[in-house]
Amino acid sequence: MSEKKFTLVINPGATSTKASIYEGETEVFTENIKHPIEEIQNFKEVADQFDYRKQTVLDMLQKHSVSPSEIAIVVGRGGLTRPCESGIYRVNDVMKQECHEGVQGKHACNLGALIADSIAKEIGLGDAYIADPGIVDERLDHARITGHPVFDMDPHREGVIWHCLNQKMTAKLYAREQGKRYEDMNLIIAHLGGGVSVGIHNHGRVVEVNRALCGLGAFSPTRAGSINASKLIDVCFSGKYSKDDIKKMITAEGGFVAYLGTNDAYEVEKKALAGDPKCKLLVDAFCYQVSLEISRLAAVVNGKVDAILLTGGIAYSKPWMAQIQEKVEWIAPVKVYKGENEMLALAICGKEVLDGVAQIKEFV
C-alpha cells in the first residue's frame, strides 16, 4: 500500500471547483474543474449540487492516478455559516448542517466542507477540515454599530463576508519573508478581485474589514460597494425593480458591469490605457475608493501600520497598483502579491494538522 502523503484541497466556486493535490507545501497539481452553466442550472438549490461536484473531484483523482491510500488529509473551503474566529476547524455535524442550509447565504463555497467531509470518511480518514472561512468576524463590539439598531447585525448569526483565507495567507507570507510572526504585526491587506475586501490585521486578528459581498467598501468588477442610502430607498420603492433585481444590482451586476457592461478588469485596463475616457474615469474611481478604504483603516491602529499588502486578481495590473500605492504609501510600505493563494493556504493548514502543530477548533 502506498504511504499516505498527499493533502487534497477542495475549493468550490460559483461555476467551477478548484481541486489540488499538495505534498506538504508543494503543489503536485491543481485543476479548475469547469461546470457549464446549463448543468448548474439543472439544480434548484446549491446544496443539490453536492453529488455532482463531489463526483467531479473523484474523477479528477482517478484521472491523475491518485489512490485514496495516498491521501493523508482532506481540507475544504469554509462556507457561509454563523460567524466564527479565524483558524483551523474540524468539520462537524453543526457546521455541515449550517453549510447545507446556507445560514448567511446560498453560495457554492458551502459545499467545500460537505464534500471534504464525505470524501475523508469514504476513504477512511475520519475527519476533514476547513480554515479561515469567509465569515470570520473578529471585530470589536464598537465596530459593529451601524448608527441604528434596526440595521445592526446579530453577532451570533450574522457577520461580514470577505476574503479571509487569501488575506490571512498573504499576511503570513509577508511575515515569513520579513522573518517575523504574523501575530506581532499590524497589516492592512486589500483583496482586489471580483469582490473587494480591505482589512486591518492587528496582531493576528482582523478587527475591521468591509462586508465585501453585499454593500460597503470600494466597488469591484461586479459589486456596487458603498452606495447612497437615500438613493437606495428611492430605487427600492420606485416600483421598477423587484427585491432580487436590487440584490443583483449590488452583488452581481454592479461596479464595472453596471457602468461598462463587463466584469473583465483587464479589458477595462486596456481600454483606459488606450484613451477611453469612461474606462479611465472608472479606473480612477476604483483606485480612489480602494485607497480611501486603506487610509481609513490606518486609524484603527492609530497609524501604526507595518505594511500595506495588495493582492487578488486585479493586483496583476501594474498601473492600478502604482496608482493606489502613490495614494497610500505615506502610511506604510506597500507590497503587491499577484493573484490569490487560497489553495496553498488550505494546504499549509493541512500540513499543520498532520505535523501536530495546529490548534484545531470545534465549530459550535
Side-chain angles (χ1 to χ4, degrees):
M1 180 178 292
S2 301
E3 178 186 359
K4 292 181 181 293
K5 58 182 179 179
F6 292 143
T7 299
L8 171 60
V9 178
I10 302 168
N11 185 349
T15 58
S16 67
T17 300
K18 281 187 180 180
S20 300
I21 287 290
Y22 275 79
E23 186 170 2
E25 295 185 20
T26 302
E27 179 186 333
V28 179
F29 65 82
T30 293
E31 280 207 19
N32 190 20
I33 306 164
K34 300 290 186 181
H35 307 305
I37 190 66
E38 58 269 20
E39 292 185 12
I40 292 295
Q41 289 174 340
N42 288 330
F43 300 98
K44 183 178 179 181
E45 299 286 349
V46 169
D48 298 336
Q49 299 173 26
F50 169 79
D51 289 325
Y52 165 75
R53 295 218 191 205
K54 175 187 170 184
Q55 189 58 51
T56 65
V57 175
L58 295 175
D59 290 344
M60 180 210 71
L61 295 175
Q62 186 175 27
K63 171 185 169 183
H64 289 274
S65 301
V66 176
S67 167
S69 63
E70 296 178 287
I71 298 173
I73 190 168
V74 186
V75 186
R77 178 184 179 186
L80 302 183
T81 59
R82 285 170 296 125
C84 63
E85 291 186 333
S86 60
I88 299 172
Y89 286 83
R90 190 191 324 272
V91 178
N92 62 19
D93 289 341
V94 176
M95 182 189 297
K96 287 191 290 183
Q97 182 64 34
E98 294 196 7
C99 283
H100 189 272
E101 294 174 0
V103 297
Q104 286 204 78
K106 296 183 178 181
H107 187 276
C109 65
N110 293 334
L111 296 169
L114 300 176
I115 295 172
D117 179 74
S118 180
I119 291 178
K121 286 182 168 51
E122 194 171 287
I123 64 178
L125 294 179
D127 294 322
Y129 302 86
I130 67 160
D132 294 334
I135 45 72
V136 164
D137 195 340
E138 299 173 327
R139 295 174 299 161
L140 302 176
D141 288 343
H142 65 259
R144 303 175 189 274
I145 300 298
T146 63
H148 194 292
V150 167
F151 299 107
D152 289 346
M153 293 184 290
D154 179 350
H156 302 294
R157 297 293 303 174
E158 305 169 286
V160 288
I161 299 174
W162 57 292
H163 307 92
C164 179
L165 188 59
N166 186 45
Q167 281 206 30
K168 287 272 185 176
M169 185 71 254
T170 303
K172 291 171 184 176
L173 287 174
Y174 178 79
R176 183 186 293 186
E177 291 167 6
Q178 300 300 309
K180 297 180 179 179
R181 292 187 342 125
Y182 163 59
E183 292 79 9
D184 294 333
M185 307 180 80
N186 285 339
L187 303 168
I188 296 176
I189 304 179
H191 175 103
L192 311 173
V196 170
S197 64
V198 186
I200 175 70
H201 297 237
N202 181 9
H203 293 83
R205 294 177 67 83
V206 182
V207 295
E208 183 60 88
V209 64
N210 64 295
R211 185 178 173 89
L213 181 62
C214 185
L216 301 181
F219 71 84
S220 77
T222 61
R223 297 170 189 170
S226 296
I227 51 179
N228 184 315
S230 178
K231 186 70 173 179
L232 177 61
I233 293 168
D234 291 340
V235 170
C236 287
F237 288 91
S238 67
K240 296 179 181 179
Y241 308 100
S242 68
K243 181 178 179 180
D244 285 343
D245 290 336
I246 294 171
K247 280 189 173 182
K248 285 181 181 179
M249 286 182 188
I250 294 172
T251 63
E253 297 175 359
F256 291 153
V257 172
Y259 286 101
L260 303 171
T262 181
N263 65 357
D264 189 335
Y266 179 60
E267 188 65 26
V268 175
E269 178 186 11
K270 286 196 300 182
K271 289 182 177 180
L273 292 173
D276 184 308
K278 190 171 183 180
C279 288
K280 176 66 166 60
L281 175 64
L282 267 294
V283 169
D284 290 345
F286 174 81
C287 295
Y288 174 76
Q289 290 193 13
V290 171
S291 300
L292 284 179
E293 281 296 297
I294 292 170
S295 300
R296 79 179 185 89
L297 289 181
V300 177
V301 291
N302 303 323
K304 297 175 182 178
V305 180
D306 293 295
I308 297 166
L309 311 180
L310 309 177
T311 182
I314 293 177
Y316 281 101
S317 172
K318 290 183 179 180
W320 297 16
M321 297 307 98
Q323 191 169 339
I324 294 170
Q325 180 172 349
E326 185 178 11
K327 291 184 179 298
V328 302
E329 61 185 351
W330 58 272
I331 301 170
V334 178
K335 185 165 184 181
V336 177
Y337 289 81
K338 300 173 184 177
E340 49 83 14
N341 289 291
E342 291 185 339
M343 305 305 276
L344 174 61
L346 293 172
I348 289 176
C349 290
K351 182 178 183 298
E352 290 177 356
V353 173
L354 292 175
D355 290 344
V357 298
Q359 179 187 353
I360 300 171
K361 299 180 179 181
E362 293 291 334
F363 188 80
V364 294

